[in-house]
Amino acid sequence: MSQNLFIREMPNGMTLLGQPMEGVSSAAMTLLVPLGSAHDPAGLEGGASILCEWMFRGAGDMDSRRLNDALDELGAEHSECVLSEHLQFSSAQLGVNLHQVLRIYADIIRRPTLDDAAFEPCRELTLADLESLEDEPARKCSLLLAENFYPWPLGRSIYGSRESLCSASASTLRSHALGGMSPRGAIIAVAGNIDWPAFCAQTQDLFEDWRTPPQDPINVQPARRGCAFLKKDSSQVYISLAHKSVTVGHKLYYAARLAESVLSGGMSSRLMDELRDKRGLVYSVNSRYHSLKEHAGIFTTAGTTPQRAQQTLDVMIDVMARLGEGVTDEELARSKAQLKSFLIMQGESTSSRSAALAGDWYFLRRLRTLDELSSAVDSVTTDELVEYATQFPARDFTVVLVGPDELKLPRGARHAL
Amino acid sequence: MSQNLFIREMPNGMTLLGQPMEGVSSAAMTLLVPLGSAHDPAGLEGGASILCEWMFRGAGDMDSRRLNDALDELGAEHSECVLSEHLQFSSAQLGVNLHQVLRIYADIIRRPTLDDAAFEPCRELTLADLESLEDEPARKCSLLLAENFYPWPLGRSIYGSRESLCSASASTLRSHALGGMSPRGAIIAVAGNIDWPAFCAQTQDLFEDWRTPPQDPINVQPARRGCAFLKKDSSQVYISLAHKSVTVGHKLYYAARLAESVLSGGMSSRLMDELRDKRGLVYSVNSRYHSLKEHAGIFTTAGTTPQRAQQTLDVMIDVMARLGEGVTDEELARSKAQLKSFLIMQGESTSSRSAALAGDWYFLRRLRTLDELSSAVDSVTTDELVEYATQFPARDFTVVLVGPDELKLPRGARHAL
């Protein structure tokens, strides 16, 4: 497995990243533009989600039809995602088509048409997605949890609200977008069947005269935290909890990821064992690490029946709290094996690699090789894992519950309001 | 990309398939055991789903804990899936661990403990999954559509019913499982970092004395078809339609897949263009080919609001019906490019490859190389696509609707009951 990692920083603040991979025909691209949902101005919450749609309705000299035909003709499997601080554009295609796809993305990002006529359907689609959350309680629960857990507005729902979406106008969103999409902090990462020098030359050609000044920094306010209960007469109860963890650059980061794995990294993990196998309380339960640039958390979710909900919540919290009492050598060894195996297998996918490069640069301003990741995982001791669990204990939870009845949080679990 | 494909048929009826791939560390395994949901005896519907859980609660001399610890230690990312005619076991791990994982799967399949104590939690989990469908209308809609479209019981819901799950007993399911899991028709496919001769030697060693006689053939009855309406006071309406297509071995198979792509293969596809971009009726709509061994269909689904539901249904049917009027050279070229790009990129994943090998053998009793697939796609003409759309027209739909109000099916669309 080739592990040549390339970095090129452009004078306008954009960074190019690349990893050529042997034995593959595909080349995947991840493009981060620093204009995420947290940048949505007051009154325009959800604007980034509308924008993500709108940017594909014509760009450069292509109308919507021609733009989408062109991407389809190139076999580009693309997806767009609104993140807290970025719009993320991902596209996987054969390496031979990368340069043509890149040219289209330069138009989408630098010269989106954003015409009035296309605005309304994009707003409607975003509204429809917001409304569909009513039928997807698990997803709704997760969105609200991130919103309440992270400092405002960093975790804010990417859909805004019905009111903000309805009051958004084409002209306001257009000037926010065109004034806000800056090369400063933009990242474009490619992995797979790539020609790095050719990619750099083309990207510089397409983007070097991009000069939009950066956004004002986000005005960050304290998080809401607390416990939210959404009453719903459903047959299932959705429980979600978040508590603080370390960011990617922290010295206990790998201990945190191994703690996540001990709790939730497989069928033998503690949460699965205690909640599913021993007690049959839930069909699934999981604990996932998630990070923004300066804030991170462990997000733990479970779905169960109303009858089992209180016990499920109690056992979840108990299992997590007991991590600080220690882990066995076997648990740690198993978690290391799982995590390393996962990293190696993920490293075989061009899409995963391009996303990982972009993430590394954003979080760390450098790139990690597979060898570095692997040694870092290997070097974590049981003492470090306990140190992590003691310094970042599973308590002071931010909680979201969806179901017919409210639940009682154990003493010490509720975050002081 | 290596395209050496290996086949070894064992005297007991089991088939071994392999594809060594260069530049990867992982080895993925797909194991098909010919005992699917369609084999569930009357009164034991949903049994295969319980069984899939139960088989991981101890096997050989390992109890549940040791079995799951062992798989986690080996970094095996595994999943189980109940199909119509098979239980499908998938596991991806590093190639160096394949032989140990394989030994564990031999125990799971040939020597599952299936003890009484573990039965009840497995039944409970299956019941919980069945109940969770009430909060997932889109999934419920799809399950019912397959159930009504395919000849009974081939598309029957893998969860059975609350009644059948509650009345299932450990002893009945155990004897069904132990008497029914036969090597006759079993398939084990591996792809990636594999040593084919060593894999064959080990597999033969582990499985050659497996002699359970095959299941009786499934007693197939006519399909229910028709139009089912599930009243639900939801904010969304879920529309799903199925109509007949050709199976994988049919001479018009590739024309069918390209027709699927013209309708639904990207942002520029006809359904996306007409329903989403031009009319803003739906957030997503898609048309997917699905096949059993002797029956296949095109399954088309959309989610929308109650106000837009009737128009959505009308336009969906109209767009599909017009395929027989012809496709342009550009549409066909675009669909070919997309499909070939997808096939090549999918071919880079060891998991996708092992699943594709197993599927090829089951459907065709031979393996297709990427070159064969690619030429077959290339050779389809617009005339063949129209021939397909004329011989297998989009009408006589099996329909499932979930939402507050019933909808009116256009004339000719409803299947005669």
Side-chain angles (χ1 to χ4, degrees), chain A residues 197-277:
Chain A
F199 167 75
C200 286
Q202 189 197 6
T203 308
Q204 284 176 304
D205 195 41
L206 291 169
F207 290 98
E208 70 186 345
D209 59 346
W210 185 17
R211 304 280 171 182
T212 315
Q215 283 278 310
D216 292 334
I218 296 164
N219 177 11
V220 177
Q221 306 291 323
R224 282 193 206 147
R225 301 292 175 88
C227 177
F229 168 63
L230 306 181
K231 189 167 173 64
K232 188 178 162 82
D233 286 323
S234 53
S235 60
Q236 297 276 302
V237 176
Y238 299 89
I239 299 173
S240 63
L241 310 168
H243 69 283
K244 195 178 170 182
S245 185
V246 296
T247 53
V248 183
H250 194 283
K251 72 179 172 57
L252 289 173
Y253 170 72
Y254 296 96
R257 300 310 301 265
L258 286 164
E260 174 198 19
S261 180
V262 167
L263 283 176
S264 178
M267 294 301 287
S268 67
S269 68
R270 290 188 182 185
L271 284 167
M272 282 298 260
D273 186 49
E274 294 291 338
L275 281 126
R276 189 176 188 275
D277 295 351

Side-chain angles (χ1 to χ4, degrees), chain A residues 93-415:
Chain A
Q93 51 280 313
L94 300 186
V96 292
N97 291 335
L98 177 62
H99 70 286
Q100 286 179 268
V101 170
L102 187 57
R103 196 179 309 140
I104 295 171
Y105 273 89
D107 277 340
I108 291 170
I109 284 154
R110 299 199 52 200
R111 289 169 290 279
T113 310
L114 304 182
D115 62 331
D116 285 1
F119 175 78
E120 197 52 44
C122 297
R123 184 226 303 272
E124 286 293 317
L125 289 171
T126 310
L127 271 167
D129 210 16
L130 174 69
E131 275 157 24
S132 74
L133 285 178
E134 295 310 311
D135 289 341
E136 297 174 65
R139 200 165 134 241
K140 184 173 178 177
C141 199
S142 297
L143 282 170
L144 184 57
L145 184 67
E147 182 159 300
N148 288 352
F149 173 73
Y150 283 121
W152 185 263
L154 300 179
R156 189 171 58 191
S157 165
I158 61 165
Y159 301 113
S161 64
R162 185 164 180 84
E163 294 67 42
S164 66
L165 291 176
C166 287
S167 71
S169 77
S171 61
T172 326
L173 184 56
R174 184 166 42 230
S175 51
H176 169 64
L178 297 179
M181 282 195 286
S182 164
R184 186 72 44 196
I187 298 169
I188 175 165
V190 289
N193 177 21
I194 60 163
D195 175 342
W196 174 250
F199 167 75
C200 286
Q202 189 197 6
T203 308
Q204 284 176 304
D205 195 41
L206 291 169
F207 290 98
E208 70 186 345
D209 59 346
W210 185 17
R211 304 280 171 182
T212 315
Q215 283 278 310
D216 292 334
I218 296 164
N219 177 11
V220 177
Q221 306 291 323
R224 282 193 206 147
R225 301 292 175 88
C227 177
F229 168 63
L230 306 181
K231 189 167 173 64
K232 188 178 162 82
D233 286 323
S234 53
S235 60
Q236 297 276 302
V237 176
Y238 299 89
I239 299 173
S240 63
L241 310 168
H243 69 283
K244 195 178 170 182
S245 185
V246 296
T247 53
V248 183
H250 194 283
K251 72 179 172 57
L252 289 173
Y253 170 72
Y254 296 96
R257 300 310 301 265
L258 286 164
E260 174 198 19
S261 180
V262 167
L263 283 176
S264 178
M267 294 301 287
S268 67
S269 68
R270 290 188 182 185
L271 284 167
M272 282 298 260
D273 186 49
E274 294 291 338
L275 281 126
R276 189 176 188 275
D277 295 351
K278 283 204 189 132
R279 294 183 180 82
L281 287 169
V282 297
Y283 190 79
S284 75
V285 53
N286 72 70
S287 208
R288 289 287 165 264
Y289 172 88
H290 180 263
S291 184
L292 300 177
K293 186 142 187 179
E294 287 166 8
H295 307 274
I298 303 290
F299 293 74
T300 307
T301 59
T304 184
T305 59
Q307 296 74 35
R308 293 173 180 141
Q310 185 65 55
Q311 193 190 353
T312 298
L313 176 63
D314 295 346
V315 176
M316 281 168 83
I317 289 176
D318 183 56
V319 168
M320 287 194 281
R322 289 211 320 262
L323 196 65
E325 296 170 14
V327 295
T328 65
D329 291 339
E330 291 71 30
E331 278 183 308
L332 183 61
R334 200 158 57 229
S335 294
K336 286 181 179 180
Q338 281 188 284
L339 196 49
K340 285 191 294 178
S341 177
F342 170 76
L343 288 168
I344 293 170
M345 290 197 278
Q346 208 184 33
E348 293 174 0
S349 150
T350 57
S351 295
S352 296
R353 280 311 300 160
S354 74
L357 295 176
D360 272 6
W361 189 259
Y362 173 59
F363 288 123
L364 302 169
R365 222 180 157 77
R366 65 184 193 83
L367 303 180
R368 295 174 294 179
T369 62
L370 196 52
D371 285 347
E372 175 186 344
L373 287 167
S374 200
S375 326
V377 168
D378 267 334
S379 71
V380 175
T381 63
T382 52
D383 285 350
E384 278 167 330
L385 215 150
V386 170
E387 183 190 345
Y388 163 73
T390 310
Q391 283 191 31
F392 297 87
R395 62 173 189 234
D396 298 342
F397 290 105
T398 301
V399 183
V400 178
L401 303 169
V402 178
D405 308 303
E406 207 152 351
L407 303 177
K408 196 166 165 291
L409 280 173
R411 203 151 49 111
R414 187 189 283 263
H415 190 270

Side-chain angles (χ1 to χ4, degrees), chain B residues 1-7 17-19 246-257 289 291 339 342-343 346-347 352-377:
Chain B
M1 182 66 54
S2 156
Q3 279 276 299
N4 289 321
L5 305 178
F6 296 106
I7 301 168
L17 307 169
Q19 178 181 351
V246 296
T247 53
V248 183
H250 194 283
K251 72 180 172 55
L252 289 172
Y253 170 72
Y254 296 96
R257 299 312 300 266
Y289 172 88
S291 184
L339 195 50
F342 170 77
L343 288 168
Q346 207 185 35
S352 296
R353 280 310 301 159
S354 74
L357 295 176
D360 272 5
W361 189 259
Y362 173 58
F363 288 122
L364 302 170
R365 221 181 157 79
R366 65 185 193 84
L367 304 180
R368 294 173 295 178
T369 63
L370 196 53
D371 286 346
E372 175 186 343
L373 287 168
S374 201
S375 329
V377 168

